[in-house]
Amino acid sequence: MEKIKNLADLRKMKDNLQNKIDLREKSDSPEAIVQIKVGMATSGIASGAKEVMNYMIEELDKRNIKGLVLQVGDMGYCYAEPTIEVTRPGESPVVFGYVDIAKANEIIEKYIKNGELLDGILPANYESIK
Amino acid sequence: MASYKMHLLVCGGTGCKSSDSMLIVDKLNEELKSHNLVDEAKVVMTGCFGFCEQGPIIKVIPDNTFYTKVKPEDAKEIIEEHVIKGRSVKRLLYVDPKEHARVSDSKHMGFYKKQIRIALRNCGFLDPENIEESIAREAYGALGKVLSEYTPQQTIDKIKKSGLRGRGGGGFPTGLKWELAAKSVAEQKYVICNADEGDPGAFMDRSVLEGDPHSVLEAMAICGYSIGASKGLIYIRAEYPLAIKRLKIAIAQAMEYGLLGKDIMGTGFDFEIELRYGAGAFVCGEETALIHSMEGERGEPTFKPPFPAVSGYLKKPSNVNNVETFACVPVIILKGEEWFSSIGTEKSKGTKVFALAGKINNVGLIEVPMGITLREIIYEIGGGIKNGKKFKAVQTGGPSGGCLTEKHLETPIDYDNLIAAGSMMGSGGMIVMDEDDCMVQIAKFFLEFTVEESCGKCSPCRIGNKRLHEILTKITEGKGTMEDLELLKSLSNVIKDTALCGLGQTSPNPVLSTLNNFWDEYLEHVVEGKCRAGQCTALKKYIIDPEKCIGCTACARACPVNAIEGDKKMPHEIKQELCIKCGSCYEKCKFNAISIK
Ligand SMILES: Cc1cc2nc3c(=O)[nH]c(=O)nc-3n(C[C@H](O)[C@H](O)[C@H](O)COP(=O)(O)O)c2cc1C
Ligand code: SF4
Ligand code: SF4
């Protein structure tokens, strides 16, 4: 191991190691960042929820958006799988149905980034997941 | 590197490790492997979550699901249900003691809601054996900043302005202490970390060292730079093998990365840290005794002044601070002294870690802002008194402290208010007592401890405490007199005034404080021969109700000393002068004819 030579070195190292604990830091104060819950019951997985979840995790990271992607069980919308629930900091959750990769991209660009509402929002008269 | 979608944090503190957490980690890893999930989720062994009574604990990140009392055989279900299907394993969730409902995650647990974690910020968050996780969490960033941007005096000023006071008991302002050591002129000075932690029931220092050793090492180096010392020593009791192991690993890793040792981060500052082991005597936590013990002398206190800041280890200027005090330092540097001093009360800044124990639902380690009330601690964080009993008192400050009662429930807790209430902060033990506890017995319990731990150097402590203990024993045996009560008071005051060190000077506190707050209970013992809590065996009286007794003879046959007389099918009677209060008859009687008075 090469020794850390100065403070800048240490800071660079910290940034490079950040991903080791990033997930934990975000979960520590989830209310401060956008939270995305992906319904992953059997029906959700069959309809492609897993791909949507992976896409969300990777894209948020690539587009430099601080967000937390959570996997949850049945969301009670079997008819509209895959479903995801998005909560922007300080706002009420919004649920989107029939989310595929293209839709996920739109949700990130329009709703998550700018709070613009778009098609595919499911009625909010459901039991909250948590 | 794999980007994990889930972290499974398993508590690896002493409390949980003794209950299987190693095995749990292995099982989880096995299950992940057999389901091909090693790139999806990772298992991390962290320090203590503070909720030891419910351990072993697993916290699942990112959803913060909090599993309690996990067994190795639960690993399979956790992986298959939670990791694969996203459904929590309901039966392992924590049950709220008030609502009797399962709680989904740690963010919704009363135990954590009112806590602010500064000293414990990394406990239960990081793998303490992996310096890279600590670095990711800004470990040594404060040291780097201090070394490259502040002069020693500027650093001291920051600590002074933060209002940080010693967490080892006395509450002495830390910045001021550093300044005194900085002003002493000498070629060699020492930074000493007091990890003796002798207060029975306290384990916050152990938890910090086991869960976040780098914070303490970093703070010691910052202190070294501030006072002009290149050597640090940690005095730790040999009964803390896990903390010692993690400290050794942490020191070796920090040396390897050039964060301790020679020319730290290219600034020319050298700092090395070594461990020194104590045998676990309470008095060795007192700083002068601690220093003598490190020098290989008997662990006995000596008179102050000279203070360690002037003449300490090997007669060189030494700065002694407690583990928790040190753990606050790096955060103060990184987040700023204003941030720290915005938490707490006027004269007590920041947070304090308490070890909550006794008759309370949520037993464990908590960190709360100074100024929180006892009510919030007991009823919100602690989840109330066990089994719905009535709250009676809380002992703070361990054997040197006193008790707080119902009338103190709304008192904001800080150094000065505790002293005003006749107790003290101490190292942060908090033992909760309910209606079934006898306050005379409680005072006797703490005195037993001090008598055992007195080093014997000065007579007020060596002999005085013994006498106090004898009088208390006499009272619990129903032989106490009014003169004894007076003697308790006057003797206590003499010991307080004349003992050499803090141990003796504070040892009568539990007696004085129970006398003050529970005078009527002492009176009952002495005048009425009664112990309302039923704890003083000698004062118990077993009585047979002739109306209820059918003369089955079960009790007479059970009595080991033949104290029960009576003919078959006739009411029986207990000869009180023979009865040894063993309770056998009480348990045997099927007709509820025997009662305890
Ligand atoms: C009998 C006795 C026992 C003590 N035990 C401890 C201890 O276990 N840990 C500790 O940090 N301080 C203990 N102290 C206090 C130390 O003497 C010293 O004040 C403290 O370590 C200073 O650190 P601080 O200013 O950071 O609190 C004890 C004091 C007395 C009188
Ligand atoms: S007060 Fe007690 S512990 Fe302290 S020096 Fe005297 S005998 Fe020893
Ligand atoms: S309490 Fe014990 S000693 Fe006393 S009467 Fe009952 S059985 Fe006998």
Side-chain angles (χ1 to χ4, degrees), chain A residues 21-35 66-68 70 87 89-90, chain B residues 59 61-64 106-107 125 137 335:
Chain A
I21 60 161
D22 219 25
L23 198 61
R24 279 174 249 168
E25 290 201 324
K26 285 190 210 153
S27 328
D28 213 24
S29 43
E31 59 293 334
I33 53 181
V34 56
Q35 285 185 70
K66 250 196 188 300
L68 196 58
L70 300 155
T87 313
Chain B
K59 187 169 162 185
I61 300 296
D63 42 72
N64 291 316
S106 62
K107 296 275 168 207
F125 190 95
R137 193 77 168 158
K335 291 203 177 187

Side-chain angles (χ1 to χ4, degrees), chain B residues 283 301 453-458 461-462 499-501 503-505:
Chain B
V283 75
E453 294 290 336
S454 165
C455 81
K457 185 168 173 169
C458 69
C461 172
R462 183 184 67 242
L500 174 65
C501 84
L503 192 151
Q505 288 156 8

